Amino acid sequence: MLYTPPPIDPKAPPVRINLLSDTQTKPTAAMREAMARAEVGDEQVGDDPTVNALCERVADLLGKEAAVYMPSGTMCNVTATLVHCRPGDEILAHETAHIIAREGGAHAAIGGFQVTQLKGADGQFTPETFRNALHPRTRYQAAQTVVSVEQTANIGGGTIWKKAALDEIVAIAKQHGLVTHMDGARLLNATVASGISPRDMTAGWDSAWIDFSKGLGAPIGGVLAGSRAFIDAVWQWKQRLGGSMRQAGICAAACIYALDHHVERLADDHANARALARGLSQIAGVEVQEPETNLVFFKPDGAGVPGDKMVAALRQRGVTLAMMDGRIRACTHLDVNAGQVEEMIGYVREIVRGA
């Protein structure tokens, strides 16, 4: 099988420390209780009060006119570009952006869009790189319609786009008639770490969204925000793609709970990531990128253990991580505590010693 997720290996030890992704979080008991109490209706016809409350709250949080609840962050990105672009249009994004690396070619397959890959360190392109990639509008080239950034930059190491750079990109885009889109998969990680409000961070961006199924700990969903006209057009694509739901308030209640209880605690994940990076960097031969948020990228090759071998050895000890862009990615989150971080560091030391 090429595309179906493989079955779980029944011989593998149980996972005790899950650093694979912040998507691995489980709803807390209190979140489950909020879900059970949720008032629901038919989301598809607009009468689910909990979904409506969530959308109003996120629109206000991001300083936008309206918002829509989606089953996934990928659908937020795909429907946004389907509204912003026409077939044959060009999107500009960093070469490691989620819309290029992790969405199955949806923007080309469904929309007929091409994505120009901009280079830059740590998952970010500079405003000057963006400016240099622009060309005059001509019938000989694709119309450049959208510039997209991913906050935080996942494969770049969970790095935070600086407010000044975001503002400059917006200014260049408006000068040249482009629409701006922010993939906000870990947007609140960036705002908590930087102290900049979500409204300020997304100011000037025509569309932006928040993922609730990562560090915020909800089981499902993202909320995409923008102008009323934009969200109205997104609804047509939401319907076409099967994203219109029924009693979705059960899931929306988890998102509201997360906004109330799981935002400020993202700082704990960042602290655990720093502790993990600090411990790993003290192991001779292990190369570690200093984390800005909750993602820790490292390479143990210099210690005599290739990354894939390290991942396999840790899995046999009940620790799960991911190989990404040639490095190991460890992701701290709601279900990883400081003690588990120290335990993970100890296992890496043990594996390196035995190499």
Side-chain angles (χ1 to χ4, degrees):
M1 294 185 295
L2 292 176
Y3 305 118
T4 304
I8 296 173
D9 182 358
K11 297 179 181 178
V15 175
R16 296 182 299 100
I17 305 174
N18 193 331
L19 293 161
L20 183 70
S21 175
D22 39 14
T23 61
Q24 301 294 295
T25 56
K26 302 290 199 304
T28 63
M31 180 180 282
R32 288 176 182 268
E33 184 178 342
M35 295 170 72
R37 294 197 314 265
E39 187 179 354
V40 300
D42 189 334
E43 189 257 6
Q44 193 171 123
V45 300
D47 73 352
D48 189 304
T50 308
V51 170
N52 294 342
L54 172 64
C55 291
E56 289 170 8
R57 184 159 174 183
V58 172
D60 181 67
L61 184 69
L62 300 184
K64 309 303 179 189
E65 292 180 347
V68 58
Y69 185 43
M70 293 291 199
S72 71
T74 293
M75 189 173 282
C76 289
N77 278 336
V78 172
T79 56
T81 59
L82 286 167
V83 171
H84 289 319
C85 302
R86 295 295 176 266
D89 282 359
E90 180 179 327
I91 302 165
L92 294 95
H94 191 269
E95 61 185 349
T96 63
H98 199 275
I99 65 171
I100 297 171
R102 292 291 185 273
E103 294 179 5
H107 304 270
I110 301 172
F113 315 135
Q114 64 184 46
V115 185
T116 293
Q117 301 183 21
L118 303 181
K119 294 185 179 299
D122 299 330
Q124 302 181 27
F125 55 84
T126 65
E128 192 61 25
T129 296
F130 170 44
R131 189 192 300 276
N132 291 338
L134 297 172
H135 58 69
R137 190 160 292 239
T138 165
R139 70 178 187 272
Y140 297 108
Q141 293 176 284
Q144 295 178 313
T145 306
V146 174
V147 59
S148 177
V149 301
E150 182 184 339
Q151 183 73 301
T152 62
N154 174 18
I155 296 178
T159 58
I160 301 168
W161 286 78
K162 301 301 184 283
K163 173 66 172 163
L166 294 175
D167 289 346
E168 191 172 350
I169 290 167
V170 166
I172 296 168
K174 298 312 177 187
Q175 180 185 355
H176 292 270
L178 275 74
V179 172
T180 54
H181 173 69
M182 182 180 290
D183 172 338
R186 295 182 175 90
L187 172 61
L188 295 189
N189 286 93
T191 62
V192 167
S194 67
I196 298 171
S197 73
R199 178 182 288 255
D200 287 343
M201 188 72 82
T202 59
W205 291 83
D206 295 301
S207 53
W209 58 273
I210 295 173
D211 195 322
F212 286 92
S213 64
K214 291 188 170 70
L216 295 179
I220 294 171
V223 176
L224 173 63
S227 70
R228 284 191 180 86
F230 167 74
I231 294 300
D232 185 60
V234 166
W235 261 100
Q236 184 179 36
W237 279 109
K238 174 177 158 99
Q239 186 70 37
R240 285 171 171 169
L241 297 176
S244 293
M245 298 175 281
R246 299 302 181 182
Q247 287 71 44
I250 291 175
C251 297
C255 301
I256 292 173
Y257 181 90
L259 287 175
D260 289 338
H261 301 280
H262 290 174
V263 175
E264 291 183 5
R265 66 144 308 281
L266 290 171
D268 298 337
D269 300 338
H270 303 163
N272 283 334
R274 290 191 297 271
L276 177 58
R278 186 166 54 250
L280 292 172
S281 67
Q282 293 169 356
I283 302 172
V286 178
E287 178 186 335
V288 187
Q289 179 178 348
E290 183 65 25
E292 295 184 13
T293 49
N294 68 320
L295 304 181
V296 180
F297 281 76
F298 67 100
K299 290 186 72 171
D301 303 58
V305 186
D308 57 344
K309 301 296 186 184
M310 177 64 74
V311 169
L314 286 167
R315 182 64 188 86
Q316 290 306 307
R317 292 161 171 80
V319 182
T320 182
L321 307 97
M323 284 295 298
M324 194 168 290
D325 196 37
R327 299 181 292 171
I328 300 175
R329 189 191 77 168
C331 185
T332 57
H333 53 76
L334 179 66
D335 293 341
V336 174
N337 60 45
Q340 290 173 318
V341 166
E342 291 304 315
E343 188 177 353
M344 150 74 174
I345 295 167
Y347 287 143
V348 174
R349 285 200 188 97
E350 175 185 299
I351 293 164
V352 168
R353 281 198 302 266

